[in-house]
Amino acid sequence: MAQAQNQELTERFIQFYRNYYRDAIGQLAQKYPNEKRSLYIDYDDLYRFDTDLADDYLNQPDQIQEYAEEALRLYDLPADVKLGKAHVRLRNIDRAVDIRSIRVHDDHIGKLISVSGIVRKATDVRPKITEAAFECQRCGTMTYIPQSDGNFQEPHECQGCERQGPFRVNFDQSEFIDAQKIRVQESPEGLRGGETPQSIDVNMEDDVTGKVTAGDHVTITGVLHIEQQQSGQEKSAIFDLYMDGVSIDIEDEEFEDMEITEEDKQQIIELSDRETIYEDMVASVAPAIYGYDEEKLAMILQLFSGVTKHLPDGSRIRGDLHMLLIGDPGTGKSQMISYIQNIAPRSVYTSGKGSSSAGLTAAAVRDDFGDGQQWTLEAGALVLADKGIAAVDELDKMRPEDRSAMHEALEQQKISISKAGINATLKSRCSLLGAANPKYGRFDQYESIGEQIDLEPALISRFDLIFTVTDQPDPEHDGKLADHILKTNYAGELNTQRTHVPTSKFTEEEVNAVTEEVAPEIDAELLRKYIAFSKRNCFPTMTPEAKEAIREFYVNLRAKGADEDAPVPVTARKLEALVRLAEASARVRLSDEVSEEDATRVIEIVRSCLQDIGVD
Ligand code: ADP
Ligand code: MG
């Protein structure tokens, strides 16, 4: 009975192949086994052919895959072609699960699921033994032992002479398969308000290994499993979830999951027509932080970014803006840059001190992830923030390895790693928003500010804007700051009251008045969409007036004799920075033209930054 049923399933797959995959199998047969070893099946095709079979495939993937592969071997092909070890790989299944929400009780164990995210780590590809041939040193008989995951299994006795060896593993007679382990982490755009990203490990085998590198955005289809944790010999009551990968798809470059409806679009266009759009944008950045209008405007420009240019000679000028806040402690820098997570469509917030081994850039490490022997390539913050913003606090405390890799990361927007046989180039097309303390922890007012920035000139020159923040007593400013902070804290109290004590001692009007004070002008969700919309649709170019304004400013600046050895040199990079900033300014209005006002607006910011540092 069971036999008949099995045959029926295999037959069913052969039918399916005849209807849908005749050509694909023909190609596979031609290229097997060197160039191709898998037949990829689209779930939709299978579903259209037989809904029950498609369902069964999702729910009993291991068994059904065997029939699917058996069918491939029995498929009518020219006599000399054998698809002996070809795989069938299902892709595009309609069971996408958030990495964050994978739970045992969802009953997905042993079933196919698909997850999307960014590759955080990937080991190098290594052969894994699947069947070991043990050659008896006494009689020469070969004993074959299949190897599954976990410990290496040795024979109890020789199949020939029945003695306990000794044995020698004969590699020629053993079977190996390429193996790779990767860790997929939730994409930054899925995270809201500083959640720690969750991840899942995936084992890949044979022809799906070596396809991805750290930093790639992927969708993986695979079977979910659980495995008991172990520390040394001790087994733990806690289990880990992992996946055996079936297929892996790299998401294309422009991957953007933000949906903008027609209604959103109307709202965005209305907003962009406001006279006060720039002020309103500024009022939407970290409203709890008092002042810093220029810094906030710069953060807005950074979110919109300039236009990336691809030159005819194949080179590329980045559109992304890098900026740095450097200043005395307790001046709200951390608060301000961490706010970026609320409004950036894709962002990563981290500290230069870094807790992960990859730090800010990337690293090739040998750790537990690759069983201690294999090298693992791990993506750091600047790679994870690809196509978004990396907010890095305490940038001055970054590790020496990061310092050197940072130069390439910021200008070429990639990170090259060449270590222990791993040669990889990771993309880091992100904007850096850094915060740092000066050389002695706080600014010494008797030394020039430029001299107190504790980063090397090559790195400094890569920032489009550097803001310095000094904490000098100023009765008027301090008074206003105090009012603001007291009010915001009061707002917190009001909210607490509102949520925890139904009969608030504050009136509704009081609550509204204070909440308004610290509410962003444009709601964060809408702002995120606004930014995404503008970046997708606006590619502004310079008007002659804007060009002239920037040219004049730059030439004057150079003429003032800010020399190359100055702590913050004025180089041609400043010119590119001005262009990027001006383009970003046009994008805020959803304009395709950089006007003279855009130029003037950004010249003002650049001038004031340079003045603070003591250039000009
Ligand atoms: P930094 O990173 O510059 O050392 P923080 O961001 O940690 O400073 O700020 C310290 C505290 O002071 C925070 O609670 C912050 O809210 C408050 N603070 C500092 N400056 C301001 C400001 N201008 N407006 C409102 N709060 C501020
Ligand atoms: Mg801080």
Side-chain angles (χ1 to χ4, degrees), residues 28 30-37 207:
L28 173 63
Q30 272 177 20
K31 301 196 166 161
Y32 184 84
N34 292 328
E35 287 166 66
K36 275 192 175 175
R37 285 196 294 283
D207 55 338

Side-chain angles (χ1 to χ4, degrees), residues 375-391:
W375 286 89
T376 298
L377 184 60
E378 181 170 356
L382 267 56
V383 176
L384 297 176
D386 187 41
K387 299 231 140 190
I389 294 192

Side-chain angles (χ1 to χ4, degrees), residues 97-111 113 115 181-184 198-203 222-230 236-245 369:
V97 179
D98 275 348
I99 293 175
R100 174 168 300 273
S101 64
I102 297 175
R103 295 280 183 278
V104 174
H105 58 72
D106 287 338
D107 203 24
H108 285 156
I109 307 294
K111 299 182 180 170
I113 59 169
V115 296
K181 185 171 163 187
I182 62 184
R183 176 165 295 169
V184 183
Q198 307 280 310
S199 61
I200 188 159
D201 293 347
V202 189
N203 298 318
V223 185
L224 183 66
H225 292 292
I226 51 174
E227 178 182 50
Q228 193 162 19
Q229 282 185 5
Q230 206 164 359
S236 154
I238 303 294
F239 284 69
D240 281 329
L241 292 161
Y242 71 96
M243 283 168 72
D244 278 331
F369 186 70

Side-chain angles (χ1 to χ4, degrees), residues 278 581-583 585-586 589 591 593-603:
Y278 292 91
L581 287 162
E583 288 166 348
S585 168
R589 286 179 283 117
S591 169
E593 262 187 7
V594 179
S595 67
E596 194 173 354
E597 291 86 83
D598 290 316
T600 322
R601 181 175 294 117
V602 304
I603 286 172

Side-chain angles (χ1 to χ4, degrees), residues 106-131:
D106 287 338
D107 203 24
H108 285 156
I109 307 294
K111 299 182 180 170
L112 273 175
I113 59 169
S114 89
V115 296
S116 295
I118 184 164
V119 178
R120 174 73 200 248
K121 292 175 166 209
T123 65
D124 53 359
V125 180
R126 282 295 164 83
K128 181 179 110 178
I129 197 158
T130 54
E131 187 179 70

